[in-house]
Structure formats: C-alpha cells, structure tokens
C-alpha cells in the first residue's frame, strides 16, 4: 500500500445510518491500493440529540481535515418542529457552506436491467446518461434577508434569491469543463423570463461560453426543463442550474433511473476535497428495516474515489460490481417488481451490499 487517505463518515439519521456503513464496507474492499482511515462523526438529528446542535464544531473540524467526507442523510419527523435554524438539514447546509462545496454533481444513469423500474417507457430511458450540475452554496437556500415576521396584514414569510456574478461564473466553468469531457452539450436552466437573478445567470453563463467554443450551450426555462425531463430525457447531456432548481430536477431525474435509491452525488470545492452523499433523504417510511437501497451511497463512494482520491480504478470496480449484481437479478424493494420474474430476487439492503462486495474484481 503506497498511500493513505482520511475519510470522515457522517451517517446521519434514518436510512442514512443504514446505507453509509454499507458503503464503507464496500470501500474497504474496493481499493487495496490506498490505506483508508475512517473516522465517524455526527451531523443532523443525531447530533442535535447528542450535542444540541446539528453541526457540532468537532464535526466541521473533522470534515475540514479529511481528504473526503461520506454522508448518509439527515432529518426526520422527530426534529420537524424545531425552528428553521436548529433543524437537522441546517447541519448539512452548514457543511456545504463551511467546506465551500459549491459544485454538486448528480449523475443520472440508467443501469440497463432497471429499465422496467423507471417510471418512463424503456425506449425513452434506454442508455440514459445525464449529469445535473447544481450550484450548492448560494441562491435562495442561503440568501439574506430571510425569515417570518409580523406584517400589517398578519405574518409574512420571505427568502432572498440572490446570485453574485462570480458564483455563477465558477459553477458555469465546472459545468462547461464536464460537458467538454462528455457529449459536449450543456443546458443552462433558469427562470429568466420572470426572475432578474436568473436573467443575470443566463447572461453570465452565455459569457463564459465564449471560452468553450467546443461545447454547445442552450438555455431552458425550469418549468419546460421539468417537462422535458419526463418527455424526452435523452436530449440532455449536462444540465447546469441553481441550488433550488437543481434540488428539484435531480429528484425528477432520479425516477428516470428507477429509484431515488440509485442516485449518487458529489459536492466539490475548488480543490480536491469533496462530500459524497446519495441524493435521497432519510426515508422515515422504511427506516430501521434494512429495506433501503444502498446503491446510491455505494455509487457515491465510487465518485469519492474518482474525484477526491484520484483512484479511478477503484471507482470503476465499484460501478462494475453494481452493474453485475443488477445483471444477476438482485433488487431491493424500491427497484423490484411486485411479482418478480424467476431471474429476479428481492433482497435486503445489507444483502445488496454483500453482493456488491462479492462482485468486486480486486
Ligand atoms: P426521502 O428521499 O427521504 O424519501 C422519498 C421516498 O423515496 C420515500 O418513499 C422513501 O422511502 C424513498 N427512498 C428514498 N431513498 C431510498 C432508498 N435508498 N431506498 C429505497 N427507497 C428510498 O425524502 P422525504 O421523505 O421528502 O424526506 C425525508 C427526510 O429526509 C426529511 O427530513 C428531509 O429533510 C430529509 N432529506 C435529507 C436529504 C439529505 O440528507 N441529503 C435529502 C432529502 C431529504
Ligand atoms: C438534497 C436535500 C437537501 C437539499 C436538504 C436535506 C437540505 O434535499 O440534498 O437534495 O435541499 O439540498
Ligand atoms: Mn433534495
């Protein structure tokens, strides 16, 4: 073993605490080339219960010092009545802001054996491979002022949708660079027909395009983009959009691939460091039963190897193992037909991870 890497694992709440350890098991077996050191810390509801805050200082410090962070998910009904600033989700938002993870990559790829699990007809999704690049540390999620206050006619709630030019430019550059390495098509999604902030978005993205003559840029309004994603998703290669639109469109894209339980993500800063997490949440409806699909988190671990540890071979091994277990007919409940054909077997989350480990070609 020639090098070491320090990974901070933040399992979080609900099924996060189930799927993150499964992904760690896969990671320890997938990359004999690197001496992986795992350190566990708390974020979200579990951190509120233990320390009274969703993002303890020690967790943020550990994450800052790590080569990469693997996160499960945060939140749940137990903490839903807390004031906005104290909720579990604030822990995740604080990590994203604290580590300056402005670029969120959410690839939606169809594994061919899951075509039937997609909510769209097979010809519409066969071969689907799109990448949503979501701005993650700005926009309406972080804009000030925000709050609920007493107005003349009762309470008023307000948020601020704001982007600075430099924030738009840096996410646009990430998206153009990625599009350049893929099919060379970039769709910027905005609401420039109504919102000034996204008018600026469109202008800045268009200006950056001058540096990428090899990438074909188009613009689309977000309402149309939502419609096009379920009408003809293969028209897209890379989509770049702001924080809130990216949140919504990536859940839509997830269903094209069969399940939210399949969609990984990488949240990157300007350097090598990144936070890797499934796109899904804590799924309170199935938590604690070993029903959750661990593949989104396992595929996030593959992204961790690729983007933060420069270990594409380990990433490739994990992705190939996932494809192999799906080919072999293993399905967690979310991707399993109600009446599975003879070559398909319904498994628990931990069994799925066992099978991925078994299928690793190391
Ligand atoms: P959710 O993603 O947790 O669940 C939506 C639906 O998808 C549920 O029916 C769930 O059972 C299913 N699902 C999700 N992941 C699955 C998996 N791996 N395997 C099988 N089925 C899966 O969204 P929600 O119900 O809107 O939110 C629940 C909680 O999670 C909320 O507190 C929310 O704030 C939080 N949340 C956290 C994150 C995150 O930490 N990144 C993301 C989204 C939601
Ligand atoms: C996601 C989640 C988060 C978001 C929440 C939990 C803060 O929905 O990562 O997609 O809205 O970004
Ligand atoms: Mn979301």
């Amino acid at each position: 073993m020639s090098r070491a890497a320090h990974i901070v694992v933040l399992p979080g709440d609900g099924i996060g605490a189930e799927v993150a350890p499964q992904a760690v098991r896969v990671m320890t077996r997938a990359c004999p080339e690197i001496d992986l050191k795992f350190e566990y810390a708390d974020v979200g509801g579990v951190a509120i219960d233990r320390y009274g805050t969703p993002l303890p200082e020690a967790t943020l410090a550990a994450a800052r010092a790590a080569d990469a962070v693997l996160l499960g998910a945060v939140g749940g009904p137990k903490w839903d009545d807390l004031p906005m600033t104290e909720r579990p989700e604030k822990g995740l938002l604080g990590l994203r802001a604290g580590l300056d993870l402005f670029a969120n990559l959410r690839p939606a790829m169809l594994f061919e054996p899951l075509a039937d699990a997609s909510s769209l007809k097979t010809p519409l999704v066969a071969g689907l491979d799109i990448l949503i690049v979501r701005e993650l540390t700005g926009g309406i999620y972080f804009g000030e002022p925000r709050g609920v206050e007493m107005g003349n006619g009762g309470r008023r709630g307000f948020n601020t949708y704001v982007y600075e030019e430099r924030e738009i430019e840096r996410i646009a550059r990430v998206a153009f660079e990625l599009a350049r390495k893929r099919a060379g098509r970039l769709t910027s999604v905005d609401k420039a027909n109504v919102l000034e902030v996204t008018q600026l978005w469109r202008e800045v993205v268009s200006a950056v395009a001058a540096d990428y003559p090899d990438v074909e840029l188009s613009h689309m309004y977000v309402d149309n983009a939502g419609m096009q994603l379920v009408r003809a998703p293969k028209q897209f290669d890379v989509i770049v959009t702001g924080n809130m639109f990216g949140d919504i469109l990536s859940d839509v894209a997830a269903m094209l691939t069969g399940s939210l339980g399949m969609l990984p993500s990488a949240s990157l800063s300007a350097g090598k460091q990144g936070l890797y997490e499934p796109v899904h949440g804590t799924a309170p409806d199935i938590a604690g039963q070993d029903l959750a699909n661990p593949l989104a988190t396992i595929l996030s671990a593959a992204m961790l190897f690729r983007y933060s540890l420069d270990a594409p071979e380990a990433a490739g091994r994990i992705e190939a193992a996932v494809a192999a277990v799906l080919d072999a007919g293993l399905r967690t409940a979310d991707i399993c037909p109600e009446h599975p054909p003879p070559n398909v077997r319904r498994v628990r989350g931990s069994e799925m991870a066992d099978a991925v480990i078994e299928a690793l070609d190391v």
Side-chain angles (χ1 to χ4, degrees):
M1 243 179 272
S2 54
R3 57 191 176 115
H6 175 203
I7 313 293
V8 163
V9 184
L10 307 174
D13 311 312
I15 65 165
E18 299 172 35
V19 292
Q22 300 298 349
V24 170
R25 286 173 59 221
V26 173
M27 288 179 75
T28 57
R29 304 288 288 274
C31 192
E33 298 89 349
I34 305 180
D35 181 14
L36 296 170
K37 299 252 189 297
F38 294 96
E39 177 188 356
Y40 285 78
D42 292 318
V43 70
V46 66
I48 293 172
D49 290 353
R50 284 187 192 151
Y51 309 103
T53 165
L55 182 57
E57 268 303 317
T59 298
L60 183 58
R64 283 207 171 108
D67 291 304
V69 179
L70 181 75
L71 186 134
V74 298
K78 180 173 177 194
W79 306 282
D80 273 350
D81 296 330
L82 289 173
M84 192 59 80
T85 51
E86 295 166 28
R87 289 175 61 109
E89 290 82 353
K90 273 286 179 216
L92 179 54
L93 296 170
L95 272 172
R96 290 171 178 171
L99 301 181
D100 202 17
L101 304 168
F102 68 92
N104 185 211
L105 278 42
R106 299 191 157 186
M109 273 183 53
L110 182 80
F111 286 89
E112 199 255 307
L114 294 189
D116 283 347
S118 172
S119 42
L120 295 191
K121 297 184 193 85
T122 299
L124 291 181
V125 291
L128 181 82
D129 178 4
I130 61 187
L131 174 63
I132 297 181
V133 179
R134 169 190 179 197
E135 200 290 326
L136 202 60
T137 50
I140 198 166
Y141 272 49
F142 292 92
E144 298 282 350
R146 61 191 298 156
V148 179
E149 64 182 20
M150 215 45 200
N152 293 335
R155 286 181 302 163
R156 57 192 288 268
F158 52 98
N159 287 90
T160 303
Y161 191 171
V162 55
Y163 269 119
E164 310 224 337
E165 199 166 1
R166 55 162 197 94
E167 293 179 292
I168 304 168
E169 182 178 339
R170 68 176 181 172
I171 192 69
R173 289 199 183 279
V174 169
F176 275 107
E177 291 290 339
L178 288 162
R180 174 175 265 182
K181 293 187 203 123
R182 295 171 43 106
R185 285 180 293 115
L186 178 62
T187 307
S188 173
V189 171
D190 61 39
K191 189 75 186 173
N193 51 345
V194 177
L195 303 173
E196 287 82 352
V197 48
T198 67
Q199 216 169 18
L200 178 69
W201 177 283
R202 189 176 281 218
E203 271 174 38
V204 174
V205 174
S206 299
V208 172
D211 292 341
Y212 299 88
D214 49 327
V215 175
E216 184 194 317
L217 172 68
S218 59
H219 302 275
M220 199 179 272
Y221 298 133
V222 63
D223 46 355
N224 185 26
M227 187 274 278
Q228 295 295 341
L229 268 174
V230 294
R231 188 189 73 89
K234 284 192 273 183
Q235 69 184 282
F236 296 107
D237 176 25
V238 179
I239 291 174
V240 64
T241 190
N243 208 340
M244 182 167 61
F245 296 161
D247 179 44
I248 298 165
L249 295 181
S250 56
D251 268 34
V252 174
M255 269 329 284
L256 308 176
T257 72
S259 169
L260 198 45
M262 293 300 300
L263 223 71
S265 86
S267 305
L268 306 174
S269 61
K272 275 273 154 213
Q273 207 195 26
L275 179 147
Y276 300 82
E277 55 168 330
V279 169
H280 64 72
T282 56
D285 52 336
I286 58 166
Q289 302 170 61
D290 198 11
L291 286 175
N293 185 346
L295 294 180
T297 315
I298 289 171
L299 291 167
S300 301
M303 295 183 87
L304 186 158
F305 279 118
R306 180 169 289 118
Y307 292 107
S308 280
L309 302 189
D310 286 321
E313 45 319 300
R317 276 179 211 130
I318 293 175
E319 287 156 356
V322 168
V325 300
L326 294 173
D327 276 339
L330 270 65
R331 302 283 185 275
T332 42
D334 57 314
I335 48 174
C336 192
E338 204 176 329
H339 302 289
N343 55 340
V344 165
R345 188 159 66 88
R346 186 179 294 223
V347 295
R348 299 193 162 274
S350 55
E351 290 175 289
M352 184 62 105
D354 290 342
V356 171
I357 291 168
E358 190 70 28
L360 285 170
D361 184 12
V362 274

